[in-house]
Amino acid sequence: EHLPADIKAEIDREVRRLNDGGYYKEKQWDADLNTELDRPVDFDEMMKVKLRLLRRIFDAIGKKTLDSEPYKQFMAEGQHWLKPYGLFCWLRDFFGTANHEEWGALGAGRVSEQKLNDMTAPESDFYKGISFYWFVQFHLHLQLKEASEYSASKGVVLKGDLPIGVDHDSVDAWYWPHLFHMNKKTGAPPDDYASDGQNWGFPTYNWDAMARDGYTWWSNRLGWMSRYFQAFRIDHILGFFRIWEMPHTATGGL
């Protein structure tokens, strides 16, 4: 309700454009199902539009939001992941790739806690670009929290999906690489579905390192998710007990 009228008008125009039945001039097909899509979505264009509008919104009301008490509380409670996440996003944009192996002195494991604090401080030259991503996460938090509380009021339980692995090109693998075997990949062995096995590209967990700090990464992850979900579905839960591992140079599942 605090958005300027011109931004609201642009949002309305883009919603109509992206939902127009004539957006696609040709039929769109799902290659896997070999069927025509009923209501196809141009995800690339949608993401471009959303990011452009979010930056306009941030320029308009970002400072007021960042000065608000609810935002400050959100940052205080979530700084253990928000600081690395914000810097990771800024560096990804700066270098033009999420592959942190190409970030030189700012690559995986090379940003100390002091360096992180310096680069994300309000007086930093990078602060505005980084705080944009905190601003977005804050509003996602508000929206998901509202949906969760509404569901609970209606007796509906929300179940959050938790994949067993994290991507190599992720903030987790970049800032906490000691918690993973970065020279390994995980997947699935050959079977009737895939004769060469599956390569998911995720680094495997360094459980010994995780145990040494009391599994803090896991407790933080599950603790934050519990703000919104009453149950968890761990995708490929067997990964806690056994995992198909291969060298990071592997291209297939073998």
Side-chain angles (χ1 to χ4, degrees):
E1 65 271 17
H2 304 297
L3 294 180
D6 60 326
I7 296 180
K8 285 185 176 180
E10 185 175 0
I11 292 173
D12 290 339
R13 286 196 301 271
E14 290 293 358
V15 168
R16 289 195 299 272
R17 180 176 73 87
L18 292 171
N19 285 279
D20 191 315
Y23 179 85
Y24 284 104
K25 305 305 179 186
E26 300 177 353
K27 294 181 179 179
Q28 301 296 304
W29 285 80
D30 185 308
D32 292 329
L33 299 177
N34 193 29
T35 186
E36 182 182 354
L37 294 173
D38 182 28
R39 294 191 63 188
V41 176
D42 188 342
F43 285 102
D44 288 341
E45 178 66 10
M46 179 186 67
M47 289 301 298
K48 289 177 184 177
V49 169
K50 282 189 173 184
L51 280 172
R52 175 170 53 79
L53 290 171
L54 281 168
R55 291 190 183 280
R56 284 199 64 194
I57 293 170
F58 179 67
D59 288 340
I61 66 170
K63 186 180 185 307
K64 182 177 180 180
T65 299
L66 268 58
D67 289 339
S68 69
E69 288 306 315
Y71 172 84
K72 290 178 180 178
Q73 181 179 351
F74 170 74
M75 281 298 301
E77 295 174 352
Q79 62 178 318
H80 62 276
W81 70 269
L82 285 165
K83 282 187 175 182
Y85 173 79
L87 180 56
F88 174 87
C89 291
W90 187 89
L91 290 170
R92 177 200 61 204
D93 295 347
F94 178 80
F95 286 105
T97 176
N99 183 2
H100 40 76
E101 292 181 1
E102 300 180 17
W103 294 0
L106 296 172
R110 298 176 184 172
V111 174
S112 65
E113 183 177 1
Q114 184 60 55
K115 184 71 171 177
L116 174 71
N117 289 334
D118 290 344
M119 293 187 73
T120 58
E123 59 271 17
S124 166
D125 293 337
F126 320 112
Y127 182 75
K128 183 176 180 181
I130 292 170
S131 60
F132 164 74
Y133 288 102
W134 297 338
F135 170 85
V136 173
Q137 288 298 317
F138 174 62
H139 283 283
L140 290 171
H141 157 73
L142 293 179
Q143 292 173 18
L144 187 53
K145 188 67 174 173
E146 181 181 7
S148 177
E149 291 174 350
Y150 177 78
S151 298
S153 72
K154 301 298 181 180
V156 176
V157 171
L158 295 185
K159 181 168 66 174
D161 193 74
L162 185 68
I164 187 60
V166 300
D167 195 79
H168 173 278
D169 298 342
S170 66
V171 60
D172 301 275
W174 166 70
Y175 192 66
W176 297 282
H178 63 286
L179 298 179
F180 306 90
H181 295 300
M182 298 295 287
N183 61 340
K184 303 291 185 182
K185 288 181 180 178
T186 187
D191 55 19
D192 291 340
Y193 175 76
S195 59
D196 292 330
Q198 299 177 53
N199 186 334
W200 301 335
F202 307 145
T204 55
Y205 292 116
N206 184 341
W207 291 111
D208 290 339
M210 290 183 162
R212 283 194 289 271
D213 74 353
Y215 301 97
T216 299
W217 184 83
W218 279 104
S219 61
N220 285 340
R221 195 181 192 199
L222 292 167
W224 196 269
M225 286 185 69
S226 67
R227 294 167 178 254
Y228 317 109
F229 306 109
Q230 292 77 47
F232 300 122
R233 170 188 175 267
I234 299 177
D235 189 1
H236 207 77
I237 193 171
L238 278 176
F240 279 122
F241 310 100
R242 67 187 187 203
I243 200 77
W244 185 256
E245 187 179 72
M246 65 206 79
H248 76 285
T249 54
T251 56
L254 296 174

